[in-house]
């Protein structure tokens, strides 16, 4: 049988990240590779209680088809939630999606044609790269430093690509680097988006998980011209299994999103929306976020202390003030796979940096996750990883 796939289907079945996560799933392997929240903090009992209430009081509505924009009960909850990000808005500016992943997908579908330019942080969230690529995107990567995307490089990218359709950014506790864009760069990014009339897709799954530094205003909260599309999700502050995300944008865009959403899956799971709305009514989400923040901070500190103790001189890393990831740069390594293999030989997994780049990669970089490894195990894993790094650096 010959399959005549569309251009959107990847040509190759090779899935390097999937393969890494498979290896990392081996119980013998200590994985710093995944990007999973700590499951021991999922509020199972509270979500069960919310679900019981929904079945007792609204069972029929929860099992019925619903509106593509989402249920009104959750809309108010999310309007309150985005207010924390400084976004004062109303129901006409919001649509629910099946996780931020679907928001990214619908955005790609709405804005991209074959060859359309998407400007991304280098490195960026690799699954967004996959989505945009499936819609024919051509990537222009903008270098970052510890203050986020470099604005002079962004302006050059915009001058060279005035037809760019999107700037995709994760300004706070970025995946994969854990870096946060400074306030002055946020303001500059908005000026540039306006000057070059390019839409900005602000992806903010991690912003609420902050243990250090000052909260910074979201791009959307400072957007006076409607250039920013904001995406949020319950995945990292409640549970990813609920698959609940939201888009905040100008009403004319929300109308388009709603039409695209309708053709994708009619609407986001009604039952999940009702349960989430009920969970918010019965519980204080901020208390729950505080628990997540405190545990991830503890794990991050253990990881950072172990890195300082064991990693060879010359290796640098980001210093996240929140979120779930940090980014490591090993000098003089031409092939990051060698690092991965050396770590795996010691039963430790990381994600090599390559797939996070839109085009040109920076060898010797990798991502580490701390949210999903128990405090008791982190130091030993970092120690073994340090031995692997040393071995690879010695071979240079
Ligand atoms: C930057 C970023 N955007 C979007 C997503 C997808 O999140 P969701 O579970 O809401 O689909 C993730 C998941 O890890 C992410 O890291």
């Amino acid at each position: 049988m010959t399959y005549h796939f569309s251009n959107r289907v990847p040509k190759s079945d090779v899935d390097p990240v999937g393969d890494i996560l498979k290896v990392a799933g081996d119980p013998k392997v200590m994985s710093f590779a995944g990007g999973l929240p700590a499951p021991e903090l999922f509020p199972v009992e509270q979500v069960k209680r919310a679900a019981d209430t929904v079945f007792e009081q609204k069972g029929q509505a929860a099992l019925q088809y619903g509106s593509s924009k989402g249920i009104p009960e959750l809309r108010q909850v999310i309007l309150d939630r985005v207010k924390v990000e400084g976004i004062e808005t109303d129901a006409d500016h919001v649509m629910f999606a099946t996780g931020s992943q679907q928001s990214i997908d619908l955005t790609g579908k709405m804005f991209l044609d074959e060859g359309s330019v998407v400007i991304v942080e280098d490195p960026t969230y690799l699954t967004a790269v996959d989505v945009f690529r499936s819609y024919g995107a051509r990537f222009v990567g903008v270098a970052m430093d510890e203050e986020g995307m470099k604005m002079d490089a962004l302006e050059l990218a915009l001058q060279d690509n005035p037809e760019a359709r999107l700037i995709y950014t994760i300004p706070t506790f970025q995946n994969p680097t854990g870096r946060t864009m400074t306030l002055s760069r946020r303001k500059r990014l908005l000026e540039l988006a306006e000057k070059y009339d390019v839409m900005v897709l602000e992806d903010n799954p991690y912003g609420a998980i902050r243990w250090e530094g000052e909260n910074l205003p979201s791009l959307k909260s400072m957007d006076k011209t409607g250039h920013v599309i904001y995406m949020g999700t319950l995945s990292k502050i409640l549970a990813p299994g609920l698959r609940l995300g939201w888009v905040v944008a100008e009403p004319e865009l929300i109308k388009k999103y709603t039409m695209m959403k309708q053709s994708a899956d009619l609407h986001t799971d009604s039952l999940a929306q009702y349960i989430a709305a009920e969970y918010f009514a019965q519980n204080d989400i901020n208390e729950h976020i505080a628990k997540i923040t405190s545990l991830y901070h503890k794990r991050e500190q253990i990881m950072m202390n172990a890195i300082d103790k064991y990693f060879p001189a010359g290796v640098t890393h980001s210093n996240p003030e929140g979120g779930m990831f940090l980014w490591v740069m090993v000098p003089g390594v031409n092939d990051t796979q060698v690092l991965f293999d050396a770590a795996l030989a010691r039963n430790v997994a990381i994600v090599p940096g390559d797939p996070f780049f839109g085009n040109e990669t920076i060898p010797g970089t990798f991502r580490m996750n701390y949210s999903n490894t128990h405090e008791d195990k982190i130091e030993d894993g970092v120690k073994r990883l340090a031995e692997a790094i040393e071995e690879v650096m010695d071979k240079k």
Side-chain angles (χ1 to χ4, degrees):
M1 172 75 197
T2 309
Y3 298 110
H4 298 284
F5 290 122
S6 74
N7 288 339
R8 281 183 293 283
V9 177
K11 300 278 176 286
S12 153
D13 281 339
V14 177
D15 175 10
V17 177
D19 292 345
I20 287 167
L21 295 178
K22 217 181 284 166
V23 182
D26 181 334
K28 279 201 309 294
V29 174
M30 180 170 318
S31 179
F32 299 135
L36 304 183
E40 59 271 39
L41 290 185
F42 291 150
V44 176
E45 278 310 310
Q46 290 87 333
V47 173
K48 181 178 179 303
R49 190 151 49 86
D52 288 345
T53 308
V54 168
F55 281 117
E56 278 158 21
Q57 297 176 2
K58 300 167 194 164
Q60 290 181 353
L63 295 175
Q64 185 56 284
Y65 283 118
S67 137
S68 296
K69 276 192 76 179
I71 66 165
E73 290 89 334
L74 190 60
R75 224 173 293 151
Q76 191 48 52
V77 166
I78 297 312
L79 289 174
D80 293 344
R81 191 70 236 139
V82 296
K83 222 187 224 175
V84 178
E85 304 290 333
I87 305 169
E88 297 262 1
T89 191
D90 58 40
D92 291 340
H93 289 75
V94 179
M95 185 195 76
F96 293 117
T98 304
S100 280
Q101 196 58 38
Q102 187 182 48
S103 309
I104 296 171
D105 185 68
L106 296 177
T107 306
K109 220 184 219 177
M110 262 166 59
F111 285 96
L112 305 181
D113 295 308
E114 199 61 40
S116 298
V117 169
V118 178
I119 297 181
V120 293
E121 285 153 345
D122 244 349
T124 189
Y125 173 48
L126 61 93
T127 321
V129 170
D130 291 342
V131 170
F132 296 143
R133 186 172 285 133
S134 78
Y135 291 111
R138 188 162 66 75
F139 293 100
V140 174
V142 173
M144 301 178 84
D145 60 18
E146 287 309 307
E147 300 191 350
M149 203 190 275
K150 290 183 171 175
M151 289 301 131
D152 47 354
L154 175 61
E155 178 144 34
L156 285 178
L158 288 165
Q159 281 165 356
D160 289 347
N161 299 279
E163 75 297 355
R165 298 272 174 91
L166 285 174
I167 301 169
Y168 171 65
T169 177
I170 309 151
T172 309
F173 316 138
Q174 199 232 21
N175 181 3
T177 62
R179 291 166 178 155
T180 293
M181 191 186 292
T182 56
L183 180 58
S184 60
R185 287 201 189 171
R186 287 171 195 240
K187 289 182 177 161
R188 183 66 185 143
L189 191 150
L190 289 173
E191 282 169 12
L192 292 173
E194 197 179 336
K195 179 172 170 191
Y196 293 90
D197 201 17
V198 183
M199 292 305 298
V200 178
L201 184 58
E202 176 179 27
D203 190 2
N204 188 25
Y206 305 102
I209 306 170
R210 178 184 278 282
W211 51 78
E212 204 180 314
E214 250 177 75
N215 269 329
L216 292 175
S218 60
L219 294 169
K220 185 70 194 157
S221 71
M222 298 186 287
D223 171 30
K224 302 276 186 292
T225 55
H227 280 87
V228 179
I229 299 166
Y230 175 95
M231 303 188 308
T233 174
L234 289 186
S235 289
K236 306 303 187 312
I237 57 169
L238 184 54
L242 286 168
R243 308 306 305 129
L244 269 172
W246 50 92
V247 179
V248 182
E250 291 304 294
E252 62 201 283
L253 274 181
I254 291 295
K255 279 194 191 127
K256 299 277 188 218
Y257 269 109
T258 308
M259 285 159 73
M260 305 306 276
K261 168 85 182 157
Q262 235 157 7
S263 63
D265 63 354
L266 298 183
H267 61 84
T268 294
D269 185 328
S270 303
L271 180 57
Q273 289 184 65
Y274 275 103
I275 292 173
E278 195 56 43
Y279 171 87
F280 274 83
Q282 294 180 358
N283 299 277
D284 180 352
I285 188 74
N286 291 323
E287 262 177 31
H288 184 61
I289 294 173
K291 277 190 208 151
I292 295 174
T293 305
S294 158
L295 182 68
Y296 293 3
H297 185 200
K298 198 192 278 175
R299 291 181 177 178
E300 183 256 6
Q301 274 187 316
I302 294 171
M303 185 172 272
M304 288 300 214
N305 289 341
I307 284 177
D308 288 346
K309 191 162 156 194
Y310 298 112
F311 273 17
V315 178
T316 54
H317 57 82
S318 57
N319 286 294
E321 295 183 334
M324 294 179 18
F325 302 108
L326 64 90
W327 186 245
V328 180
M329 291 147 283
V330 181
V333 174
N334 294 323
D335 180 0
T336 317
Q337 187 62 34
V338 176
L339 259 178
F340 175 79
D341 293 340
L344 197 61
R346 290 165 174 83
N347 284 331
V348 181
I350 41 105
V351 189
D354 296 7
F356 295 100
F357 290 88
N359 27 44
E360 220 155 288
T361 65
I362 303 178
T365 53
F366 61 88
R367 186 188 78 177
M368 291 176 78
N369 165 265
Y370 40 77
S371 59
N372 196 32
T373 306
H374 193 274
E375 299 84 280
D376 294 348
K377 294 186 172 164
I378 293 174
E379 178 165 351
D380 173 50
V382 171
K383 187 166 177 240
R384 284 188 270 144
L385 178 58
E387 287 163 16
I389 295 174
E390 229 160 78
E391 178 190 283
V392 172
M393 286 175 84
D394 281 349
K395 276 196 191 143
K396 269 189 331 196

